[in-house]
Amino acid sequence: MAQSLKSHIVIPARLHSTRLPEKLLLSETGKPVIQHTYESAAQATKPDGVLVATDHQSILIVVQGFGGHAVMTDPDAPSGTDRVAEAAATIPDADIIVNVQGDEPDISATAIDLAIELLESNPDAVMSTLATPIRSRGKLDDPSCVKVVVDSNNAAMYFSRSTIPHPREWSDELLERDPPVFLQHVGLYAYRREFLLQLSKLPQSTIETVENLEQLRVLSLGYAISVGVINEPAIGIDTQADY
């Protein structure tokens, strides 16, 4: 029987971005991107609240300006996960911390709730994340599209920039199968809070550094990541065209 756990959303929000400068503050729609993301995340029914973890005063002021909650974190934090962990340390009553990327304004409330439910119903998993079917060869072959393979219990077996599973003989029919053969990883994570606070202290693995995928550190050390499949991939904003 699933256990009901207290959860909180943390949105890591770094001002600097390489391909689209200060993208979280773009506001051609009348609202900045970070506000769209915050309001979408706030629609989830399970979390107790939403907190933005930022490295810059300008984002803090914008979030507080629209009535949101935000905290300053170390500007030199090595990753978004470290920023989320720093913020999580200020939320001691949360059992689960959900990491929602600041540049994903279309993230759905049901996706966030599902990530939490996965940890409530899978006590052996320290993390959960999401995936969506891949239906195009172009996306399957794209290294920037991270793939995941799951076992019969929907626990992650491996994440890769390569095509996994790799067909010995190609057929377009593979892209049409249901349940899907190929899954794209959707970068939303839920962590058990105590595990998140220890994650940055865990040693990097060779496969993590080769693929440049932080979640492989967790699998390399033998921890379980539960994966939920959705049919609505969140689309992050990396370029002006995305925006």
Side-chain angles (χ1 to χ4, degrees), residues 202-206 208-209 217:
L202 298 176
Q204 284 189 309
S205 65
T206 301
E208 174 191 354
T209 56
R217 182 185 317 178

Side-chain angles (χ1 to χ4, degrees), residues 40-41 75 79 125 146 166 195 218 240 242:
S40 293
S79 73
V146 177
H166 196 288
F195 178 76
V218 179
Q240 185 65 41
D242 293 338

Side-chain angles (χ1 to χ4, degrees), residues 59-239:
I59 291 181
L60 182 80
I61 291 168
V62 165
V63 173
Q64 291 176 339
F66 64 72
H69 301 283
V71 292
M72 291 293 296
T73 53
D74 183 359
D76 298 321
S79 73
T81 306
D82 291 289
R83 206 174 299 290
V84 171
E86 190 178 339
T90 70
I91 317 170
D93 61 338
D95 301 302
I96 294 172
I97 300 293
V98 185
N99 178 347
V100 172
Q101 301 302 311
D103 63 355
E104 296 202 344
D106 295 325
I107 190 71
S108 78
T110 54
I112 294 170
D113 286 338
L114 173 59
I116 295 166
E117 288 164 6
L118 289 170
L119 289 184
E120 289 179 330
S121 57
N122 294 283
D124 293 336
V126 295
M127 280 173 60
S128 67
T129 191
L130 303 176
T132 193
I134 296 174
R135 300 299 187 191
S136 82
R137 183 75 185 268
K139 181 159 283 192
L140 184 64
D141 293 338
D142 183 357
S144 66
C145 169
V146 177
K147 276 70 71 172
V148 59
V149 170
V150 299
D151 67 14
S152 58
N153 296 314
N154 285 325
M157 296 170 67
Y158 192 65
F159 296 86
S160 183
R161 299 183 182 280
S162 295
T163 299
I164 53 172
H166 196 288
R168 185 175 179 181
E169 295 183 8
W170 178 257
S171 166
D172 289 343
E173 179 268 337
L174 291 170
L175 290 167
E176 300 166 6
R177 284 194 193 171
D178 197 23
V181 174
F182 308 109
L183 292 172
Q184 176 184 358
H185 177 225
V186 176
L188 179 148
Y189 296 100
Y191 306 87
R192 298 196 190 279
R193 179 179 175 277
E194 295 308 313
F195 178 76
L196 172 62
L197 297 179
Q198 297 301 315
L199 180 55
S200 65
K201 302 179 181 71
L202 298 176
Q204 284 189 309
S205 65
T206 301
I207 56 171
E208 174 191 354
T209 56
V210 169
E211 295 251 23
N212 193 22
L213 296 174
E214 192 177 37
Q215 61 270 37
L216 290 176
R217 182 185 317 178
V218 179
L219 294 186
S220 297
L221 293 167
Y223 293 104
I225 301 175
S226 187
V227 181
V229 178
I230 59 173
N231 282 311
E232 41 175 290
I235 300 172
I237 296 173
D238 290 318
T239 65

Side-chain angles (χ1 to χ4, degrees), residues 13-88:
R14 185 167 163 263
L15 180 66
H16 178 70
S17 49
T18 306
R19 285 183 282 181
L20 187 59
E22 299 186 9
K23 62 184 177 181
L24 296 185
L25 298 181
L26 294 176
S27 55
E28 292 172 25
T29 64
K31 293 180 183 179
V33 169
I34 187 64
Q35 183 175 354
H36 283 292
T37 303
Y38 191 104
E39 291 176 351
S40 293
Q43 297 300 310
T45 60
K46 282 187 165 289
D48 291 333
V50 182
L51 180 66
V52 173
T54 187
D55 67 339
H56 203 278
Q57 196 75 20
S58 60
I59 291 181
L60 182 80
I61 291 168
V62 165
V63 173
Q64 291 176 339
F66 64 72
H69 301 283
V71 292
M72 291 293 296
T73 53
D74 183 359
D76 298 321
S79 73
T81 306
D82 291 289
R83 206 174 299 290
V84 171
E86 190 178 339

